[in-house]
Amino acid sequence: MKLHLSETLPADFLTTSARKLNDILPGPSLFFLKGERNPPLFISILLHGNETTGLLAVQHMLKTIEAKLPRSVILFIGNVRAAKAGARKMADEPDYNRIWSSGSSKEERLASEVLGHIAGKAPLACIDIHNNTGKNPHYACINTLDRATLNLAARFSPTIVYFTEPHEVISIACSRIAPSVTLECGIAGDSEGTLHTADYLIACLRSPASKLFAHPEKSHDDVFHTVAKISIPDNVRPGFGNRCDDADICFRSDFDLLNFTRVASGTLLGTALTPSGLLYVSNNMNMDVTNEYFSVLNGEIRTTRHFIPAMFTMDRTIIQQDCLGYIMEPYPLQQENR
């Protein structure tokens, strides 16, 4: 797998949809776009082919700025093959946001090459852009708790999620190079998410470091920590609401509306319709902690403690390729980080 390198974007880039990028790009591509000042801003988009807000926001950003970029940009465009299919990833390849730690596969070698180029340019900050398939607020994810990273995240949203697993994501790798954030921009294609993200990118390009990493006015530090992941075995078929005819486990119809709410102990989440219709919960040390969070009695799946869900999804494909969602807890910041 060869990484495409260029200092100019294709002529039709600003008007090309995610599904058509494969026609103008040979594959994963890294662009070095010269601006009026350095160090550059690193932006990664389309690590998941069906998460298109990053592309739309970058296109809007470039159309809005029109003249020369106020700051240089390193732009990585990831899985254009999956984007053509409108899929998170293709069946014969790994998740493009799980290849950034180490390994010898062709995708992991490509990721290592990308990281080498990024480190060589010593960027001001790194921004990875994603979407959710379930209903979530716009929020920023961080992997370190230094003040610069917290402030960079707070400029996007007052809701911040701190996580260390999965450790193979690009943002963790980039956090060793510069302050790094992941933007979760709601449902793909939503115009509000596109404009919010584009405005954030433009502000990052125009801001000096002294402003970009300063604490935003009227901001507060509501930080959540991802402590566990909820999965469903591959042979278990999930359903939701009245779409449970062929399901092994049937979740409530408003399942993804629970995201970023405080779910109380004893809350009914769904019904196990077969003996195999069960959840599996693993913590950040990959230990089975299912019984700490859920119980099944007379087929009813209920919570056994209160927690805050994130990224709960009702998309069967995403559940199979990734997970059902994550469990979070409020994270108390140390006084020196306030």
Side-chain angles (χ1 to χ4, degrees), residues 248-250 270-275 277-278 296 298-301:
D248 299 303
I249 185 170
C250 185
T271 305
L273 302 178
T274 69
L278 300 176
V296 182
N298 298 324
E300 292 185 343
I301 301 171

Side-chain angles (χ1 to χ4, degrees), residues 187-200:
I187 302 295
D190 177 67
S191 60
E192 183 180 350
T194 297
L195 293 175
H196 181 192
T197 306
D199 288 346
Y200 177 80

Side-chain angles (χ1 to χ4, degrees), residues 100-101 167 171-178 180:
W100 301 90
S101 57
H167 65 276
S171 61
I172 288 182
C174 285
S175 69
R176 303 183 186 105
I177 299 171
S180 175

Side-chain angles (χ1 to χ4, degrees), residues 2 22 47 97 128 130-131 142 146 159 205 221 241 246 269 278 299:
K2 184 176 177 58
N22 198 55
L47 295 188
N97 204 23
D128 183 33
H130 286 267
N131 290 110
I142 60 175
D146 60 279
T159 304
L205 290 178
D221 295 322
D246 63 343
L269 291 187
L278 300 176

Side-chain angles (χ1 to χ4, degrees), residues 139-217:
Y139 63 97
C141 296
I142 60 175
N143 313 114
T144 63
L145 292 166
D146 60 279
R147 190 72 260 177
T149 299
L150 281 164
N151 290 344
L152 184 66
R155 289 190 173 278
F156 181 72
S157 172
T159 304
I160 300 171
V161 175
Y162 167 60
F163 75 91
T164 55
E165 290 291 340
H167 65 276
E168 306 94 340
V169 298
I170 191 173
S171 61
I172 288 182
C174 285
S175 69
R176 303 183 186 105
I177 299 171
S180 175
V181 298
T182 301
L183 308 185
E184 295 287 356
C185 310
I187 302 295
D190 177 67
S191 60
E192 183 180 350
T194 297
L195 293 175
H196 181 192
T197 306
D199 288 346
Y200 177 80
L201 294 178
I202 292 170
C204 288
L205 290 178
R206 289 175 172 167
S207 299
S210 58
K211 180 179 179 181
L212 188 62
F213 300 130
H215 197 272
E217 293 183 9

Side-chain angles (χ1 to χ4, degrees), residues 39-43 71-74 123-127 201 204-205 212:
L41 185 72
F42 172 70
I43 303 169
R71 181 178 297 280
S72 296
V73 169
I74 308 168
L124 178 67
C126 301
I127 301 169
L201 294 178
C204 288
L205 290 178
L212 188 62

Side-chain angles (χ1 to χ4, degrees), residues 33-38 65 67-73 205:
L33 309 177
K34 189 173 182 180
E36 294 179 352
R37 58 181 169 177
N38 286 301
I65 290 176
K68 191 173 183 179
L69 289 166
R71 181 178 297 280
S72 296
V73 169
L205 290 178

Side-chain angles (χ1 to χ4, degrees), residues 27-29 44-48 76-82 96 100 110:
S29 302
S44 56
I45 62 174
L46 286 175
L47 295 188
H48 296 142
F76 178 62
I77 303 175
N79 200 339
V80 295
R81 181 169 167 247
Y96 266 48
W100 301 90
L110 179 137

